[in-house]
Structure formats: structure tokens, C-alpha cells
Amino acid sequence: MKSEHMRECRKKKWEAVISEEESSYYYYIERYADLFLETRVMSKQFTVVADAQYALGITKFLVNDLGLFPAKQFVVDDTPREYQENVRSYFKDLNYNIEAEVSFDTDGFNIHNEIKAHDYHGYPLILGGHWEKEVAKQTNAHFLNVSWPVNERLIMNSYYTGYEGGLKLIEDIYSVAKNKIQLV
């Protein structure tokens, strides 16, 4: 009986923390929604080149929270074959019945050729490792270094997980997009 009460108390505390974080997140999203819609600096489609966990998390966030459309996503962590179909199913479970095609490939040459061959209908958004910086230049893409190797910046205490991580990812993407527009 006592342990059940303790579990219920912990559950209420976690729910309060989640509710507070969610409120803070939507506070910022609501205040900056006009900026996102009016500046028109964002790409229509995006590609993530990362390990399975980051590729899926970022893809779900960009589709479900920001309303962006996924081009092909690339998982580069050599996911064992017996888990690939399970991972692939999560890329098909996005809001609005949107599905993202996913490729399990560790060959950067193949990945870069597929990125170059895709019609992004405007500026692509490429989120990947430092190796994708060159293909981003070749395709005139917005590029954000989110996966290994990270050579673009020093990371000591930064992350793209949770509500704060989502806001950080939005900040970084829009900063890259705005800087690119200012350079043109």
C-alpha cells in the first residue's frame, strides 16, 4: 500500500514537471510562430543523416511539431538487419499520415549522391555530420551539424532532447537559415 502511494506521488511530480516544461515550450512556439511563417527562410523538405535514434527523433520533431516534409532519411549507425524493419516502421508513424523513407547505409558517397539527385523544391535542409557539409554546399542547402563528427562548434552542455532541446534545435535551424539568406 505504501509503495503504491509513493508511485502515485512520483507520478504526480513527473506530470507536474512535464506540464511545466510543455507550457514553457508552447509559450515560445506561440510567440515565434509568426516569425517562422512570415520570414519564409525555411526549407520545404529536409534530410537527416545520423544514427537511428537521432535521425528518428529529429524527423518526428520536424514533421510533427514544425510541419516540415521529410525527404529520404539516412541511418548511418550500421543498425543490425533484424532491427531495421522495426526502426523503419517508426519513420512511417508520423502525424498527418506522413511517412519518411529511410535508408540504412554507411557509404557516404551513396548517401551524398542520393541527396544531390533529390528535388527538394527549393533550398534543402540537411542535418547531419560534418561530412554532409560539402554536399550541402553543392546543393545550396541549409546545413546543421547534428551528428558525429561535429566540427562546426564546441559542445559542452547542449542537446536536442526534450522540450528545451526542441527549442534549441529550432533556434539552430532558423539561425542557419537566416544566416544563409543574409549571405546571399
Side-chain angles (χ1 to χ4, degrees):
M1 188 72 145
K2 188 174 181 179
S3 65
E4 187 176 317
H5 176 70
M6 294 285 284
R7 263 186 266 139
E8 189 62 33
C9 287
R10 275 185 254 156
K11 181 180 177 188
K12 286 181 182 179
K13 285 181 185 179
W14 278 112
E15 288 173 355
V17 168
I18 291 169
S19 180
E20 185 178 325
E21 290 291 318
E22 190 174 78
S23 293
S24 176
Y25 172 80
Y26 284 111
Y27 170 85
Y28 288 106
I29 293 295
E30 288 170 6
R31 272 136 193 89
Y32 286 92
D34 289 341
L35 170 75
F36 303 151
L37 296 172
E38 292 175 9
T39 58
R40 305 218 194 295
V41 297
M42 270 309 301
S43 305
K44 294 176 180 152
Q45 290 187 352
F46 68 92
T47 292
V48 180
V49 182
D51 62 50
Q53 182 177 330
Y54 246 51
L56 178 60
I58 290 173
T59 298
K60 287 188 96 152
F61 177 75
L62 294 178
V63 171
N64 296 350
D65 285 50
L66 294 186
L68 300 181
F69 292 96
K72 187 179 247 184
Q73 309 300 296
F74 297 92
V75 173
V76 295
D77 62 2
D78 204 17
T79 304
R81 287 188 191 277
E82 64 264 23
Y83 300 111
Q84 289 181 9
E85 197 53 45
N86 192 29
V87 171
R88 189 174 277 113
S89 72
Y90 287 110
F91 280 92
K92 294 179 181 185
D93 187 26
L94 304 171
N95 286 355
Y96 316 110
N97 295 319
I98 294 172
E99 296 182 6
E101 182 181 357
V102 63
S103 173
F104 296 89
D105 197 345
T106 58
D107 187 332
F109 182 79
N110 291 339
I111 293 168
H112 293 181
N113 282 339
E114 285 195 55
I115 290 170
K116 287 188 270 187
H118 184 77
D119 181 3
Y120 286 86
H121 308 289
Y123 291 115
L125 170 61
I126 299 174
L127 302 101
H130 179 71
W131 309 124
E132 282 67 55
K133 186 174 186 175
E134 186 59 35
V135 75
K137 284 181 188 174
Q138 294 169 358
T139 58
N140 202 23
H142 303 301
F143 171 71
L144 183 60
N145 194 176
V146 298
S147 63
W148 186 90
V150 178
N151 287 359
E152 304 298 307
R153 60 190 172 194
L154 172 66
I155 300 173
M156 293 177 70
N157 188 26
S158 185
Y159 47 85
Y160 293 133
T161 58
Y163 291 108
E164 286 184 27
L167 292 174
K168 172 76 172 133
L169 182 59
I170 293 169
E171 288 175 356
D172 289 351
I173 289 171
Y174 275 87
S175 294
V176 165
K178 283 195 62 77
N179 285 336
K180 184 173 184 66
I181 296 301
Q182 290 171 353
L183 294 174
V184 173

